Amino acid sequence: MGMKKEIMKSKVISAIEENRDLIYKVGRKIYKNPELGYREFETTKLVREFFKEELNLDMVDEGIAYTGCRAKLNYDKSGPKIAVLGELDGIVCNGHPDALASGVSHTCGHNFQIAGMLAVAIGLIKSDVYKELDGKIDFIATPAEEFVEMDYRNKLREKGIIQYFGGKQELIRNGSFDDVDIAVMFHVLDIGNKKVLVGPVSNGFIGEDITFIGREAHAGNAPHKGVNALSAALLAMNNINAQKETFQEIDKVRIHPIITRGGDIVNVVPANVRMESYTRARNIEAMLDANEKVNRSLIAGAMAVGANIEIKQLPGYLPMLKYQGMEDILFKNLLSLGIGEEDIIQGGDFTGSFDLGDVSHIMPTLHPMFGGIRGELHSKEYRIIDEEYLYLEPAKALALTIIDLLFDDAKEAKNILRDFVPAMTKEEYLNFMKSNDKTIKKEFLDKEI
């Protein structure tokens, strides 16, 4: 006769509570030592050592997507596999009091994710509850959720180290999710006085790295001999703004280009100007349509002044989908932890993007957002106001949900998987990514227009 489910849950909660100082310690260390995506070598090392030394796990894969690591639990059992995810990387946020001199910080809240993932492992392992579950559990520390440092990631791609800029995209490509059936994780968010937001959906996006090439000339003495690449870029941005009335409200289109290089010196007509841009939308069709308009606008700006243009189109993230069966199980566990129904926001609508969106098109996923911070993510106003809650309660909620899914021959997990219809197969996903991974070049320099 196996252990009763409610006893399992009680034992896991106790194990997490008893190890709170250990959880705080690892989370705080990560917070103080942020690293950008595909640079998380020290954070990966910390997590890997935690798996091996604190949890005595012998099946730990390293460098799963250049950085990152993965620990396997119950790997010798049959039944569905659930992956618990945590994101390793930080973000650049100059001006935040806790940012490094380089501007890198954990104003993304990913330190809580990694600590929470490890806390789930602590709860299941130190209580011995994992032995009673009828399925496999992987803990995956994933790299590069923040879509930044395009030049650096381009260099990694040119060397064949990565193919995609997002960590979960790379893990899908290299087969790390091939044997995973369900993926769960959480994020932090300023949700006022509420405790949790469940059932979020989000926009997807396409990224672009753009170069305008003109001709140098003396800006004061002979500007007529130059071709101003900065003017081409500014025209392109105005062209994009002119498109905005063509987007339907329901598609929640967001386009936000920036100029990363505007010229060399003020006395020379700018001949090499760089831009980066995202085109976001709520569904794939709207994302593709809006991005086509962006490309037209960029090319028109170059054409107007007679500059050349190169657009490196990069597959960004897909819109995040939700699965109600997973949400229902989580919701009951939140209530059992003493979180009142009035403290739970049901349904979140985000025009930002998460790379879990890519995973959600292939398998059932869960991605609640927990309160406990104030201020916008990625901003200098970001503040942690309830550290204890964020390090412990999300981990408890996910651990209890995993117990529900894998208890009694994994009946709940099997029910969800039986009813699940993927939005894309892996093959369809990779074909879609390939179709959006391209370079567009147009040459107007020294040509009649």
Side-chain angles (χ1 to χ4, degrees):
M1 186 75 176
M3 192 185 302
K4 291 184 177 180
K5 184 164 67 171
E6 292 311 312
I7 295 176
M8 290 185 195
K9 290 185 174 184
S10 178
K11 288 171 70 70
V12 165
I13 290 171
S14 295
I16 291 172
E17 289 284 354
E18 289 165 7
N19 288 275
R20 59 171 55 212
D21 289 341
L22 181 60
I23 297 164
Y24 296 161
K25 182 180 178 181
V26 68
R28 288 166 181 166
K29 187 171 184 179
I30 293 169
Y31 182 77
K32 291 179 180 178
N33 298 278
E35 299 172 293
L36 293 179
Y38 293 127
R39 298 183 189 269
E40 316 100 320
F41 300 105
E42 290 303 315
T43 312
T44 295
K45 180 182 177 182
L46 184 154
V47 175
R48 182 184 69 239
E49 290 176 352
F50 195 100
F51 283 143
K52 291 183 176 181
E53 296 173 11
E54 292 290 346
L55 298 173
N56 296 315
L57 292 171
D58 56 354
M59 288 287 287
V60 180
D61 299 328
E62 304 175 22
I64 56 173
Y66 191 38
T67 53
C69 59
R70 168 184 188 152
K72 299 181 180 182
L73 190 63
N74 280 356
Y75 53 85
D76 55 349
K77 287 193 174 187
S78 60
K81 177 181 282 190
I82 298 174
V84 186
L85 311 181
E87 293 159 355
L88 292 160
D89 57 329
I91 190 73
V92 175
C93 185
N94 288 298
H96 192 275
D98 294 333
L100 303 182
S102 62
V104 182
S105 71
H106 266 301
T107 52
C108 51
H110 291 178
N111 57 301
F112 290 112
Q113 289 181 359
I114 294 293
M117 178 193 71
L118 296 175
V120 173
I122 286 170
L124 293 172
I125 293 169
K126 291 186 179 289
S127 67
D128 282 336
V129 161
Y130 75 96
K131 298 175 182 176
E132 304 289 327
L133 299 178
D134 298 313
K136 306 175 180 69
I137 306 165
D138 281 5
F139 301 94
I140 307 179
T142 65
E145 192 271 339
E146 305 291 354
F147 205 89
V148 298
E149 287 199 303
M150 291 188 186
D151 280 346
Y152 170 68
R153 297 186 191 189
N154 259 324
K155 290 173 184 175
L156 292 181
R157 183 158 76 161
E158 288 167 2
K159 293 176 181 177
I161 295 172
I162 63 170
Q163 176 63 39
Y164 295 120
F165 286 10
K168 296 185 191 66
Q169 297 173 321
E170 191 67 7
L171 290 170
I172 293 171
R173 182 194 68 81
N174 70 24
S176 294
F177 281 109
D178 283 359
D179 62 348
V180 175
D181 298 295
I182 294 171
V184 302
M185 62 175 296
F186 71 93
H187 214 292
V188 305
L189 187 70
D190 182 353
I191 49 178
N193 295 321
K194 302 295 184 180
K195 294 287 188 180
V196 193
L197 184 152
V198 298
V201 293
S202 75
N203 277 12
F205 78 94
I206 295 171
E208 297 200 300
D209 187 4
I210 306 135
T211 304
F212 294 92
I213 301 295
R215 183 186 300 112
E216 300 92 339
H218 193 290
N221 191 51
H224 58 284
K225 294 182 180 180
V227 175
N228 194 317
L230 181 58
S231 294
L234 295 174
L235 286 169
M237 294 179 81
N238 285 330
N239 294 340
I240 292 169
N241 287 332
Q243 300 283 357
K244 290 184 177 179
E245 66 180 18
T246 72
F247 303 136
Q248 297 186 76
E249 293 293 331
I250 194 173
D251 292 330
K252 301 185 183 297
V253 175
R254 302 287 189 274
I255 303 168
H256 36 97
I258 62 168
I259 294 175
T260 58
R261 176 179 177 179
D264 297 317
I265 60 174
V266 71
N267 205 29
V268 174
V269 171
N272 188 304
V273 170
R274 298 288 299 275
M275 287 175 59
E276 293 179 7
S277 185
Y278 290 174
T279 302
R280 302 185 195 261
R282 179 48 46 87
N283 57 75
I284 290 173
E285 294 76 14
M287 198 166 69
L288 294 173
D289 175 71
N291 198 67
E292 181 61 31
K293 293 175 181 178
V294 167
N295 286 343
R296 276 201 325 249
S297 300
L298 294 168
I299 293 167
M303 183 179 183
V305 301
N308 293 344
I309 183 171
E310 179 179 277
I311 304 169
K312 291 181 180 177
Q313 186 167 296
L314 306 166
Y317 302 157
L318 298 186
M320 189 160 66
L321 309 177
K322 71 174 180 180
Y323 299 99
Q324 197 57 49
M326 298 279 287
E327 300 294 339
D328 292 342
I329 295 171
L330 172 68
F331 189 80
K332 291 177 183 177
N333 284 312
L334 292 171
L335 296 179
S336 76
L337 289 169
I339 298 173
E341 194 166 344
E342 70 280 2
D343 290 322
I344 302 173
I345 300 172
Q346 297 195 53
D349 191 319
F350 295 91
T351 47
S353 307
F354 308 89
D355 66 351
L356 191 71
D358 296 56
V359 182
S360 75
H361 279 67
I362 297 172
M363 68 185 67
T365 56
L366 192 63
H367 191 272
M369 315 285 281
F370 282 79
I373 66 162
R374 286 290 181 271
E376 290 294 324
L377 298 172
H378 304 181
S379 79
K380 65 181 180 181
E381 284 75 35
Y382 175 94
R383 295 292 183 275
I384 300 165
I385 62 168
D386 197 341
E387 184 183 48
E388 179 178 352
Y389 173 78
L390 280 172
Y391 278 130
L392 303 181
E393 297 310 306
K396 294 176 188 175
L398 292 187
L400 300 188
T401 299
I402 290 168
I403 291 171
D404 281 329
L405 289 168
L406 297 182
F407 179 74
D408 188 19
D409 195 34
K411 187 182 299 181
E412 291 286 1
K414 289 177 180 177
N415 286 340
I416 286 169
L417 293 170
R418 182 194 64 226
D419 297 335
F420 175 70
V421 179
M424 292 180 175
T425 64
K426 178 184 174 181
E427 183 180 5
E428 289 169 340
Y429 170 79
L430 293 176
N431 286 338
F432 175 81
M433 296 291 278
K434 185 177 181 180
S435 71
N436 283 287
D437 191 359
K438 57 188 177 183
T439 298
I440 301 167
K441 294 183 179 181
K442 297 291 182 180
E443 296 183 353
F444 303 108
L445 199 61
D446 299 324
K447 290 187 177 181
E448 289 188 12
I449 299 174

mmCIF file of all heavy atoms in Angstrom, residues 348-363:
data_model
loop_
_atom_site.group_PDB
_atom_site.id
_atom_site.type_symbol
_atom_site.label_atom_id
_atom_site.label_comp_id
_atom_site.label_asym_id
_atom_site.label_seq_id
_atom_site.Cartn_x
_atom_site.Cartn_y
_atom_site.Cartn_z
ATOM 1 N N GLY A 348 -4.162 36.139 -17.336
ATOM 2 C CA GLY A 348 -3.274 37.272 -17.543
ATOM 3 C C GLY A 348 -2.998 37.461 -19.011
ATOM 4 O O GLY A 348 -2.833 36.488 -19.753
ATOM 5 N N ASP A 349 -2.934 38.709 -19.434
ATOM 6 C CA ASP A 349 -2.781 39.041 -20.854
ATOM 7 C C ASP A 349 -1.519 39.870 -21.012
ATOM 8 O O ASP A 349 -1.489 41.045 -20.647
ATOM 9 C CB ASP A 349 -4.007 39.823 -21.321
ATOM 10 C CG ASP A 349 -4.052 39.985 -22.829
ATOM 11 O OD1 ASP A 349 -2.992 40.247 -23.420
ATOM 12 O OD2 ASP A 349 -5.142 39.861 -23.409
ATOM 13 N N PHE A 350 -0.454 39.250 -21.566
ATOM 14 C CA PHE A 350 0.838 39.915 -21.644
ATOM 15 C C PHE A 350 1.230 40.167 -23.100
ATOM 16 O O PHE A 350 1.177 39.260 -23.924
ATOM 17 C CB PHE A 350 1.920 39.079 -20.956
ATOM 18 C CG PHE A 350 1.701 38.937 -19.481
ATOM 19 C CD1 PHE A 350 0.974 37.874 -18.973
ATOM 20 C CD2 PHE A 350 2.188 39.888 -18.605
ATOM 21 C CE1 PHE A 350 0.750 37.748 -17.617
ATOM 22 C CE2 PHE A 350 1.969 39.779 -17.244
ATOM 23 C CZ PHE A 350 1.245 38.707 -16.742
ATOM 24 N N THR A 351 1.616 41.394 -23.389
ATOM 25 C CA THR A 351 2.094 41.706 -24.732
ATOM 26 C C THR A 351 3.610 41.558 -24.828
ATOM 27 O O THR A 351 4.189 41.777 -25.884
ATOM 28 C CB THR A 351 1.656 43.116 -25.158
ATOM 29 O OG1 THR A 351 1.921 44.044 -24.107
ATOM 30 C CG2 THR A 351 0.169 43.139 -25.465
ATOM 31 N N GLY A 352 4.251 41.223 -23.706
ATOM 32 C CA GLY A 352 5.634 40.791 -23.741
ATOM 33 C C GLY A 352 5.699 39.337 -24.195
ATOM 34 O O GLY A 352 4.685 38.726 -24.543
ATOM 35 N N SER A 353 6.908 38.765 -24.156
ATOM 36 C CA SER A 353 7.103 37.424 -24.709
ATOM 37 C C SER A 353 7.946 36.570 -23.776
ATOM 38 O O SER A 353 8.809 37.075 -23.052
ATOM 39 C CB SER A 353 7.793 37.513 -26.073
ATOM 40 O OG SER A 353 7.099 38.388 -26.932
ATOM 41 N N PHE A 354 7.693 35.263 -23.819
ATOM 42 C CA PHE A 354 8.410 34.277 -23.011
ATOM 43 C C PHE A 354 8.789 33.107 -23.923
ATOM 44 O O PHE A 354 7.970 32.656 -24.724
ATOM 45 C CB PHE A 354 7.526 33.742 -21.883
ATOM 46 C CG PHE A 354 6.889 34.794 -21.022
ATOM 47 C CD1 PHE A 354 5.655 35.334 -21.365
ATOM 48 C CD2 PHE A 354 7.512 35.245 -19.871
ATOM 49 C CE1 PHE A 354 5.049 36.295 -20.569
ATOM 50 C CE2 PHE A 354 6.919 36.208 -19.069
ATOM 51 C CZ PHE A 354 5.684 36.742 -19.423
ATOM 52 N N ASP A 355 9.998 32.580 -23.752
ATOM 53 C CA ASP A 355 10.356 31.472 -24.637
ATOM 54 C C ASP A 355 9.688 30.167 -24.237
ATOM 55 O O ASP A 355 9.758 29.181 -24.974
ATOM 56 C CB ASP A 355 11.871 31.315 -24.801
ATOM 57 C CG ASP A 355 12.619 30.906 -23.539
ATOM 58 O OD1 ASP A 355 12.001 30.893 -22.454
ATOM 59 O OD2 ASP A 355 13.828 30.622 -23.646
ATOM 60 N N LEU A 356 8.977 30.142 -23.100
ATOM 61 C CA LEU A 356 8.140 28.990 -22.815
ATOM 62 C C LEU A 356 7.003 28.894 -23.832
ATOM 63 O O LEU A 356 6.420 27.824 -24.027
ATOM 64 C CB LEU A 356 7.564 29.052 -21.399
ATOM 65 C CG LEU A 356 6.886 27.753 -20.942
ATOM 66 C CD1 LEU A 356 7.907 26.662 -20.692
ATOM 67 C CD2 LEU A 356 6.012 27.968 -19.710
ATOM 68 N N GLY A 357 6.699 30.008 -24.510
ATOM 69 C CA GLY A 357 5.688 29.976 -25.561
ATOM 70 C C GLY A 357 6.006 28.941 -26.620
ATOM 71 O O GLY A 357 5.116 28.248 -27.123
ATOM 72 N N ASP A 358 7.285 28.809 -26.972
ATOM 73 C CA ASP A 358 7.687 27.810 -27.961
ATOM 74 C C ASP A 358 7.378 26.400 -27.450
ATOM 75 O O ASP A 358 6.842 25.561 -28.178
ATOM 76 C CB ASP A 358 9.179 27.943 -28.266
ATOM 77 C CG ASP A 358 9.524 29.275 -28.919
ATOM 78 O OD1 ASP A 358 9.203 30.323 -28.332
ATOM 79 O OD2 ASP A 358 10.099 29.271 -30.008
ATOM 80 N N VAL A 359 7.717 26.152 -26.186
ATOM 81 C CA VAL A 359 7.461 24.837 -25.600
ATOM 82 C C VAL A 359 5.961 24.565 -25.531
ATOM 83 O O VAL A 359 5.510 23.444 -25.765
ATOM 84 C CB VAL A 359 8.096 24.751 -24.191
ATOM 85 C CG1 VAL A 359 7.888 23.368 -23.584
ATOM 86 C CG2 VAL A 359 9.587 25.079 -24.238
ATOM 87 N N SER A 360 5.167 25.610 -25.242
ATOM 88 C CA SER A 360 3.719 25.437 -25.074
ATOM 89 C C SER A 360 3.015 25.042 -26.364
ATOM 90 O O SER A 360 1.880 24.571 -26.331
ATOM 91 C CB SER A 360 3.093 26.718 -24.509
ATOM 92 O OG SER A 360 2.984 27.747 -25.485
ATOM 93 N N HIS A 361 3.660 25.239 -27.510
ATOM 94 C CA HIS A 361 3.076 24.799 -28.777
ATOM 95 C C HIS A 361 3.282 23.301 -29.022
ATOM 96 O O HIS A 361 2.644 22.721 -29.905
ATOM 97 C CB HIS A 361 3.680 25.589 -29.944
ATOM 98 C CG HIS A 361 3.056 26.936 -30.133
ATOM 99 N ND1 HIS A 361 3.186 27.957 -29.215
ATOM 100 C CD2 HIS A 361 2.262 27.427 -31.117
ATOM 101 C CE1 HIS A 361 2.516 29.016 -29.638
ATOM 102 N NE2 HIS A 361 1.939 28.716 -30.775
ATOM 103 N N ILE A 362 4.164 22.689 -28.227
ATOM 104 C CA ILE A 362 4.542 21.295 -28.450
ATOM 105 C C ILE A 362 4.015 20.375 -27.356
ATOM 106 O O ILE A 362 3.698 19.208 -27.608
ATOM 107 C CB ILE A 362 6.070 21.185 -28.572
ATOM 108 C CG1 ILE A 362 6.551 21.980 -29.796
ATOM 109 C CG2 ILE A 362 6.544 19.741 -28.651
ATOM 110 C CD1 ILE A 362 8.050 22.108 -29.898
ATOM 111 N N MET A 363 3.902 20.884 -26.118
ATOM 112 C CA MET A 363 3.468 20.059 -24.986
ATOM 113 C C MET A 363 2.680 20.914 -23.992
ATOM 114 O O MET A 363 2.778 22.154 -24.018
ATOM 115 C CB MET A 363 4.681 19.425 -24.290
ATOM 116 C CG MET A 363 5.579 20.409 -23.576
ATOM 117 S SD MET A 363 7.075 19.633 -22.895
ATOM 118 C CE MET A 363 7.933 19.154 -24.398
#
